[in-house]
Every structure is written in structure tokens, then in C-alpha cells.
């Protein structure tokens, strides 16, 4: 099983130092995630869930410890290399969708492909396919403001998977959605995991959402509880 | 690189009202800049026309307002290489209501039989030319003036003199065409002479000289001035182009003025544009974080924002330069156009300078916010709320 590990951290620390404030967001986090797993990351507000996700996506750098993602030591890469690496390997889904308002659904989904060598027509074909996969094949020309929250999040998911990354990271993807939209999104994410073999790490507050995952891990005050452990309250 | 252009343009169009206002204000400033650069170019950088290159103007060394004795004409004529010399006298005067700018046109007392020889670019039918030479109170006018004030052959024009007091009445005997602005009236110097009191006769404002070859002109100018080195009234002889500029410099240090106005205009556009770009980048910090999450490098972000600013200021330059072409055309046709060196409506060099200025403004104005945005850590950018 060990050679199937896609995310591996050892003694991972993250501190934020701002003026006189000194916040320890992550403390000695050791985590192994295997290929094809669907992990739900839970914990109270401020426990460091987003911070951990950002470190995995190389959107931020750790203050201590080791982190390897998809066999890559992230600290060995330059800013430029990290950007390319993320474009190829990571699909990130935000709580607040974060679509570009001046672009249509299709253009939003095409955006990550602009960084690749694909020709215009290929980019459009890929983006269209991704939108069809999330069930929005008929909304290609719509702008974000013309879509419902659930639809916006599905566009965001299409954008996250369009480069065919092996890792999907989602930070409370259903946090801004009503129950039925949330259900759709969770079904979609678990399909990506089961049918397309994506490894998924999803931060969530919602125990119902967490049940879609194959495994739940808890963070508490920056520390990762051991596997199988559940917080006291 | 080109694949980012649609995104760049869509970003420009994000806040339409602000973008349009910015384009308009840059346009207005660039229009002013375009006019100034055109004028500057016409004054200081353009080559003389072949006709101009053959002409020299001799005036009193002390000042343009001081006359020279008319007897100098014969001595100037003796200088080798000079084909013709004509006395020309700025008349001034008032036509009808001088508050109407249309009524302000240049008037010169000249020697009719020499005028069209020296100013070879002026064309006039032979019979009109002969009529002008024959009749003491005849005048000829430029086509522009005739059109503007609706003058026809045979019309009478009355001027009230100020430098030369009195009432002067002319009959239009000819209308000439000129490649340049031609809001000018020429009349016979004899008429002026005979109207003047005894003591004021026999003077010349300037001597307009035609030389045989353009390349000899600078040397000939020197010879003429040397001829009067020991005379009571010394002369200053210069090319027609330089003379016209000297005339313009009556208004002050024009060169300095033009340069400082341009600098002020550039600075203003810079501020307007910098303000807009700072605002529009600040609103988008979060989106920059999203783009970076998708894999955009800091360099790509920098390029996107700089490109956006350049697109806006180039649009402004395009609008501004187009209007400035109309304005320079207007200046050329205005009453002052006759005194000024010809200002080209479209001059590739000037257009290039305007485009370069716009590009420069776009880059500089957005450099700071663009740099800041490209360097903001992703996590920090994503936390910003818009
Ligand atoms: N950029 C930052 N600067 C300073 N402190 C930060 C920063 N980002 C996070 N923190 C701090 O680190 C800790 C962990 O934050 P994080 O966002 O990871 O929590 P979270 O588990 O995602 O919480 P939530 O459920 O509310 O999203 C918090 O105490 C937070 O205040
Ligand atoms: Mg969080």
C-alpha cells in the first residue's frame, strides 16, 4: 500500500506571525493519504483545516516538517514550477465558487487550459466535455450571475477537473449551498472519486457531507487526531 | 501570449463606466498632447519645403519692429547667388469688427511684380497678376481668405491702419492658390508709401530674398549680414523657417512652453490612469488568488494587468489622436495658420510618439498595483473580501 501514497506529511508545522500575534495553525501533522481515497477533513473553526489543504496544494509553505504530494517534494520547486505543477495535478474547489464574473461558464472552465499547450479548439472541446460531465452541457454561454449557486459550484468543479488532475481538494464545497444542491455536489464529487479514480480531500463541517467520504480525519487546535479517533464532544 | 488577450479585454470591460471615463480622460489629454507634439514637430523638426529652402528674410538686427532703409535692397541684390529681393512690410490694421477672428488675417505691403517670383508656390492667373501689378490700389488675396469672407474679384476691402494710421481702400484684383493656409492679403507698397507722411517713407520691414540654390542659402545669409556690419542699422538674415519661428517666439519661449505643457499633460494622464488601475486591481485581489490557484504564474498575472492598462490607454490615445488630427487641421485653417509653419494633420512620427506615450503611461501607471498583485501570496489574496 505504501507506494500508493499520494500525500504524505511528517511533523508538518505552520505558524502565522503577524505583528505581535503568533498563531500555530498546524502542529506536528503526520498524514498519509492513498491513491483513490476520499478523505473528509473535519474539526472546529480555526482548527487548521484550510491551512492543511493550502499546504497540500502548495498554495502556502509550511514553517516546518516535510510534505510530499504525488511524489514531489514541494519545497524543492520554484514559484513558477509550483504554478505549473498545481495546474497539472491539483483541482481546487472553493466554498464561494470563485468563478471569474466576466467570463462565461465555458470560458471559466477553459481558463486552466490556457496554461497548457492545447490548441483553441481542443481547449473548447475539453471544457465542453467537463461541463457536460457536471450536467451543464446546456449552460456553456451563461455567465456566473445567470446561474444558481449549485450550478456555479458545478462549473467550479468542471474547472477543477478540466486539466484531469489526480488530486481534488475541496474546502467546504457545500458551505454556501442549500441541502438539495449540496447533495448534488457531493454526489458529483463522489462520482469523480469512484468512477474517475480521483483522490479527494474535502474539508467540511457537515457530518452528512462527511458520510460521502471513505474516511474521516479530525483536526483539533492544529493537531491531527489519530486515525479512527473522534473528538470528545 | 495571445490566448490571454480575450481575458485582458474582458477585464477592461468589467466596469464599463469607469473604463469609458478613463478612456475619455486619457483621450482628452492625449488629444492635447497630440496637438502640442504636432505643433512642436511643425516648428522645430520639420524640413523646409523646397520653395522655403530657397528663401531668406532680412530684418533689422535689433528687432522685427525696427525698419531698415529701403536703399539696402540694391546692395543686397548685388550679393552673388541672390536672384531677387523684395521689400515686404507687415501692415497690421483692422478690418471691420476685429473681435471676429475671421476678420483677423495677415496683410503685407509688397512689390507686386516680384511677389509671385519669390513665392513660386503661389499660383494665380496671368491676367489677375497683371491687373495687380498695374493698379496702385489693387490687392490679391489667398483662396482661403476669399472663401472665408466671401470675397470676389472686384470687391472692395477697407482697412484701417494702426501702425500706419489712415484709411486704406483696396480692390480685389486677384485670388491666388497656395499649398499652405492662405488667409493673406498682399497689396502694393507704393500705395502705402504715398499715404505716409514724408518722414516715414523709404523704409522696409523685411527684405524677402530668393537665392539660386538652397545649399548656398546659409552662406549668402552671412554675406548679406557682413555687408551691413558697419552700417547704422545692422541686419539679421535667416531662413524663412527660422524667421517664422522668430515671429512665433514673440509670444514667449514657445519651445519651453510646449514642453512643459506636454509634461504636465503626461503627468495628469499618468495620475488618472494610475488611480483607475489601482482601484481596479484592488477590487480583484481575490480573483488574482483564484488565477494563481489555477496555475497562473506571477509573471502571467503581471502581464495580464499591465496589458489591460496598456489596452485602456492605447484606446484613449486612439480617441485622442483622432480628435487631435481634426484640431491640427483646424489650426492650419485658422487665421493664425497663415503665420505658422504648416502643421501636418497626420504625421507618422507624431502618431508614433503618441502611441509610445500611451504605452508608457499604461505600463508605468499599472506597474505598482500589477507588481503588488503578482507578488501577493495566494492565501492572502483569497482571504481578501471584495
Ligand atoms: N493568513 C493568516 N494569517 C494569520 N493567521 C491565519 C492565517 N490563516 C489562518 N490563520 C489562523 O490559523 C488558524 C487556522 O486557520 P484555518 O483557516 O486553517 O482554520 P479552519 O479550520 O479552516 O477554520 P474554518 O472552519 O473557520 O474555515 C486560525 O487560528 C486562523 O486565525
Ligand atoms: Mg477554513
Amino acid at each position: 500500500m505504501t507506494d500508493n501514497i499520494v500525500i504524505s506529511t511528517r511533523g508538518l508545522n505552520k505558524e502565522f506571525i503577524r505583528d505581535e500575534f503568533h498563531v500555530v495553525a498546524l502542529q506536528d501533522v503526520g498524514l498519509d493519504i492513498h491513491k483513490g481515497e476520499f478523505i473528509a477533513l473535519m474539526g472546529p473553526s480555526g482548527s487548521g483545516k484550510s491551512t492543511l489543504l493550502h499546504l497540500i496544494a502548495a498554495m502556502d509553505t509550511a514553517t516546518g516538517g516535510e510534505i510530499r504530494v504525488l511524489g514531489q517534494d514541494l519545497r524543492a520547486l520554484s514559484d513558477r514550477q509550483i504554478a505549473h505543477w498545481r495546474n497539472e495535478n491539483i483541482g481546487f474547489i472553493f466554498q464561494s465558487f470563485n468563478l471569474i464574473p466576466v467570463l462565461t461558464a465555458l470560458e471559466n472552465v477553459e481558463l486552466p487550459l490556457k496554461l497548457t499547450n492545447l490548441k483553441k479548439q481542443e481547449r473548447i472541446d475539453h471544457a465542453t466535455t467537463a461541463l457536460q460531465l457536471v450536467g451543464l452541457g446546456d449552460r456553456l454561454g451563461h455567465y456566473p450571475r445567470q446561474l444558481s449557486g449549485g450550478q456555479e459550484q458545478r462549473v467550479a468543479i468542471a474547472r477543477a477537473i478540466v486539466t484531469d488532475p489526480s488530486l481534488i481538494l475541496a474546502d467546504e464545497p457545500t458551505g454556501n449551498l442549500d441541502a438539495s444542491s449540496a447533495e448534488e455536489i457531493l454526489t458529483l464529487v463522489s462520482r469523480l472519486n469512484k468512477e474517475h479514480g480521483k483522490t479527494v480531500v474535502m474539508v467540511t463541517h457537515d457530518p452528512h457531507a462527511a458520510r460521502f467520504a471513505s474516511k474521516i480525519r479530525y483536526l483539533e487546535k492544529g493537531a491531527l487526531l489519530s486515525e479512527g479517533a473522534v473528538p470528545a464532544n | 501570449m495571445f490566448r490571454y488577450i480575450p481575458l485582458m479585454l474582458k477585464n477592461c470591460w468589467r466596469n464599463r463606466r469607469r473604463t469609458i471615463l478613463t478612456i475619455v480622460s486619457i483621450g482628452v489629454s492625449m488629444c492635447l498632447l497630440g496637438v502640442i507634439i504636432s505643433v512642436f514637430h511643425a516648428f522645430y523638426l520639420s524640413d523646409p519645403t523646397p520653395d522655403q529652402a530657397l528663401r531668406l528674410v532680412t530684418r533689422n538686427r535689433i528687432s522685427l519692429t525696427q525698419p531698415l532703409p529701403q536703399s539696402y535692397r540694391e546692395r543686397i541684390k548685388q550679393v552673388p547667388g541672390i536672384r531677387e529681393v523684395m521689400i515686404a512690410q507687415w501692415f497690421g490694421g483692422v478690418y471691420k469688427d476685429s473681435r471676429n477672428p475671421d476678420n483677423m488675417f495677415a496683410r503685407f505691403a509688397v512689390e507686386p511684380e516680384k511677389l509671385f517670383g519669390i513665392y513660386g508656390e503661389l499660383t494665380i492667373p496671368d491676367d489677375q497678376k497683371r491687373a495687380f501689378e498695374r493698379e496702385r490700389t489693387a490687392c490679391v488675396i489667398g483662396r482661403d481668405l476669399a472663401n472665408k469672407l466671401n470675397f470676389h474679384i472686384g470687391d472692395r476691402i477697407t482697412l484701417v491702419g494702426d501702425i500706419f494710421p489712415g484709411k486704406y481702400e483696396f480692390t480685389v484684383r486677384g485670388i491666388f492658390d497656395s499649398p499652405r493656409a492662405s488667409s493673406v492679403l498682399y497689396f502694393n507698397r507704393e500705395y502705402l508709401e504715398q499715404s505716409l507722411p514724408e518722414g516715414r517713407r523709404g523704409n522696409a520691414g523685411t527684405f524677402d530674398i530668393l537665392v539660386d540654390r538652397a545649399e548656398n542659402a546659409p552662406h549668402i545669409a552671412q554675406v548679406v549680414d557682413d555687408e551691413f556690419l558697419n552700417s547704422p542699422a545692422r541686419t539679421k538674415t535667416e531662413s524663412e523657417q527660422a524667421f517664422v519661428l522668430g515671429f512665433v517666439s514673440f509670444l514667449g519661449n514657445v519651445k519651453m512652453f510646449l514642453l512643459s505643457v506636454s509634461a504636465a499633460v503626461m503627468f495628469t494622464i499618468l495620475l488618472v490612469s494610475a488611480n483607475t488601475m489601482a482601484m481596479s486591481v484592488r477590487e480583484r485581489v481575490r480573483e488574482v488568488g483564484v488565477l494563481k490557484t489555477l496555475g497562473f504564474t506571477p509573471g502571467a498575472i503581471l502581464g495580464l494587468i499591465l496589458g489591460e492598462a496598456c489596452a485602456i490607454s492605447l484606446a484613449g490615445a486612439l480617441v485622442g489622436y483622432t480628435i487631435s488630427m481634426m484640431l491640427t487641421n483646424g489650426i492650419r485653417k485658422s487665421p493664425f495658420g497663415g503665420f505658422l509653419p504648416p502643421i501636418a494633420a497626420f504625421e507618422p512620427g507624431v502618431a508614433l510618439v503618441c502611441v509610445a506615450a500611451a504605452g508608457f503611461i499604461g505600463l508605468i501607471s499599472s506597474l505598482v498595483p500589477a507588481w503588488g498583485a503578482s507578488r501577493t501570496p495566494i492565501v492572502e489574496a483569497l482571504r481578501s473580501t471584495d
Side-chain angles (χ1 to χ4, degrees):
Chain A
M1 234 6 217
T2 48
D3 36 32
N4 264 342
I5 292 179
V6 287
I7 301 170
S8 163
T9 74
R10 290 291 173 272
L12 197 64
N13 283 317
K14 178 68 184 179
E15 295 175 19
F16 291 102
I17 299 166
R18 188 168 288 179
D19 306 324
E20 69 272 27
F21 291 104
H22 187 108
V23 182
V24 178
L26 289 176
Q27 210 173 4
D28 193 25
V29 171
L31 173 70
D32 284 325
I33 294 175
H34 296 88
K35 188 167 167 46
E37 278 189 309
F38 182 168
I39 304 287
L41 211 50
M42 296 191 75
S45 185
S47 56
K49 307 180 296 292
S50 296
T51 304
L52 181 55
L53 217 53
H54 293 153
L55 293 184
I56 294 171
M59 290 155 70
D60 205 353
T61 47
T63 35
E66 285 172 33
I67 178 163
R68 290 184 80 82
V69 180
L70 299 165
Q72 181 68 53
D73 178 4
L74 298 180
R75 288 173 310 177
L77 300 177
S78 71
D79 276 3
R80 226 184 126 72
Q81 289 170 318
I82 283 179
H84 288 308
W85 177 85
R86 197 186 304 114
N87 178 249
E88 256 176 61
N89 298 298
I90 305 285
F92 206 98
I93 303 165
F94 303 91
Q95 177 175 354
S96 51
F97 325 137
N98 280 338
L99 298 178
I100 308 295
V102 292
L103 300 181
T104 62
L106 186 67
E107 289 165 337
N108 264 289
V109 176
E110 188 202 347
L111 211 47
L113 296 178
K114 294 221 174 194
L115 303 165
T116 66
N117 292 325
L118 294 179
K119 304 248 176 322
K120 175 84 183 161
Q121 193 52 50
E122 295 174 302
R123 298 201 300 265
I124 291 183
D125 292 345
H126 282 54
T128 307
T129 307
L131 279 165
Q132 281 163 349
L133 188 78
V134 299
L136 289 176
D138 55 343
R139 292 283 196 279
L140 305 183
H142 286 225
Y143 285 90
R145 62 167 185 281
Q146 299 167 327
L147 299 171
S148 72
Q151 289 171 329
E152 277 196 78
Q153 191 62 301
R154 282 194 273 158
V155 174
I157 291 174
R159 181 177 67 181
I161 59 172
V162 75
T163 56
D164 197 23
S166 41
L167 206 53
I168 303 280
L169 306 176
D171 196 346
E172 299 186 43
T174 57
N176 282 8
L177 298 177
D178 61 87
S180 74
S181 299
E183 197 74 17
E184 280 172 26
I185 295 300
L186 291 165
T187 310
L188 189 53
V189 172
S190 87
R191 260 181 61 208
L192 293 175
N193 171 246
K194 293 206 176 71
E195 296 171 18
H196 299 267
K198 310 285 181 202
T199 307
V200 178
V201 182
M202 177 176 77
V203 168
T204 183
H205 277 291
D206 175 9
H208 172 70
R211 278 202 282 279
F212 282 80
S214 52
K215 197 187 276 178
I216 304 178
R217 297 299 300 263
Y218 293 92
L219 273 167
E220 213 169 46
K221 294 185 182 142
L224 188 70
L225 303 190
S226 53
E227 213 171 319
V230 177
N233 45 355
Chain B
M1 196 61 231
F2 291 112
R3 52 177 64 183
Y4 299 132
I5 289 178
L7 176 61
M8 223 159 67
L9 294 181
K10 289 205 164 190
N11 275 333
C12 292
W13 216 224
R14 175 180 295 255
N15 188 330
R16 274 161 220 225
R17 183 152 44 140
R18 184 172 62 204
T19 302
I20 289 174
L21 279 175
T22 309
I23 289 178
V24 167
S25 53
I26 291 179
V28 170
S29 313
M30 285 306 284
C31 164
L32 191 56
L33 198 67
V35 171
I36 291 172
I37 296 175
S38 296
V39 170
F40 193 91
H41 179 271
F43 280 16
Y44 303 107
L45 301 174
S46 61
D47 289 330
T49 61
D51 292 300
Q52 275 186 314
L54 288 175
R55 286 195 290 265
L56 295 169
V57 179
T58 300
R59 62 169 172 90
N60 191 305
R61 188 153 208 99
I62 296 168
S63 143
L64 190 54
T65 56
Q66 301 285 319
L68 290 167
Q70 73 175 28
S71 60
Y72 280 20
R73 180 178 52 192
E74 304 318 316
R75 287 169 69 188
I76 293 173
K77 188 84 190 280
Q78 300 308 311
V79 173
I82 290 185
R83 276 205 247 154
E84 189 58 280
V85 184
M86 175 182 78
I87 294 174
Q89 177 63 57
W90 172 257
F91 177 76
V94 175
Y95 173 71
K96 285 191 176 163
D97 184 352
S98 63
R99 281 170 303 184
N100 179 353
D102 278 351
N103 292 338
M104 288 170 50
F105 49 88
R107 300 122 198 177
F108 292 94
V110 296
E111 300 177 71
E113 65 286 2
K114 295 179 182 170
L115 178 68
F116 293 99
I118 291 182
Y119 292 90
E121 72 270 32
L122 306 184
T123 52
I124 188 169
D126 258 342
D127 55 324
Q128 296 183 14
K129 186 175 156 214
R130 277 195 302 275
F132 177 44
E133 289 166 7
R134 254 196 322 265
E135 189 178 327
R136 206 167 43 85
T137 58
C139 71
V140 290
I141 58 176
R143 179 77 56 197
D144 289 350
L145 180 60
N147 290 344
K148 195 165 55 187
L149 293 181
N150 199 22
F151 287 139
H152 299 97
I153 306 269
D155 282 357
R156 287 179 190 280
I157 298 176
T158 304
L159 295 179
V160 179
D162 38 26
I163 310 173
F164 306 100
K167 206 169 175 188
Y168 296 78
E169 197 163 291
F170 308 103
T171 312
V172 177
R173 288 301 178 211
I175 295 173
F176 61 84
D177 287 287
S178 165
R180 297 215 245 153
S182 56
S183 273
V184 190
L185 180 152
Y186 293 112
F187 66 93
N188 196 331
R189 177 170 170 273
E190 284 304 311
Y191 181 22
L192 177 63
E193 281 291 296
Q194 285 170 16
S195 314
L196 289 175
E198 201 79 46
R200 287 193 69 182
R201 292 185 193 168
N203 285 325
T206 60
F207 296 99
D208 294 359
I209 298 171
L210 185 70
V211 303
D212 52 0
R213 299 160 70 111
E215 61 267 31
N216 295 341
H219 174 67
I220 292 173
Q222 192 57 51
V223 175
V224 170
D225 287 345
D226 288 348
E227 170 74 21
F228 301 101
L229 209 54
N230 299 314
S231 306
R234 287 180 56 192
T235 61
K236 180 173 169 103
T237 304
E238 55 199 344
S239 70
E240 181 180 289
Q241 221 186 4
F243 175 78
V244 172
L245 277 188
F247 197 82
V248 169
S249 71
F250 259 18
L251 307 168
N253 189 341
V254 177
K255 201 170 190 171
M256 197 59 220
F257 173 76
L258 292 179
L259 286 177
S260 50
V261 172
S262 313
V265 169
M266 284 280 282
F267 190 65
T268 311
I269 323 177
L270 205 63
L271 290 186
V272 169
S273 174
N275 186 43
T276 309
M277 283 316 292
M279 239 175 358
S280 108
V281 171
R282 208 178 311 124
E283 286 167 5
R284 259 188 288 156
V285 179
R286 189 190 179 82
E287 267 178 53
V288 168
V290 174
L291 291 180
K292 285 184 174 179
T293 305
L294 297 180
F296 281 70
T297 57
I301 303 282
L302 190 73
L304 267 178
I305 298 174
L306 293 182
E308 184 182 332
C310 286
I312 290 179
S313 62
L314 284 176
L318 203 70
V319 171
Y321 187 67
T322 309
I323 302 174
S324 89
M325 288 200 306
M326 299 179 213
L327 285 183
T328 43
N329 210 21
I331 293 181
R332 207 159 49 130
K333 291 196 171 136
S334 78
F336 309 103
F339 310 134
L340 300 177
I343 299 168
F346 177 78
E347 175 65 46
V350 174
L352 205 70
V353 169
C354 286
V355 168
F360 173 78
I361 285 163
L363 283 182
I364 296 297
S365 67
S366 58
L367 200 55
V368 172
W371 182 260
S374 76
R375 298 290 134 184
T376 307
I378 300 186
V379 175
E380 203 172 298
L382 287 174
R383 281 163 74 98
S384 100
T385 44
D386 33 22

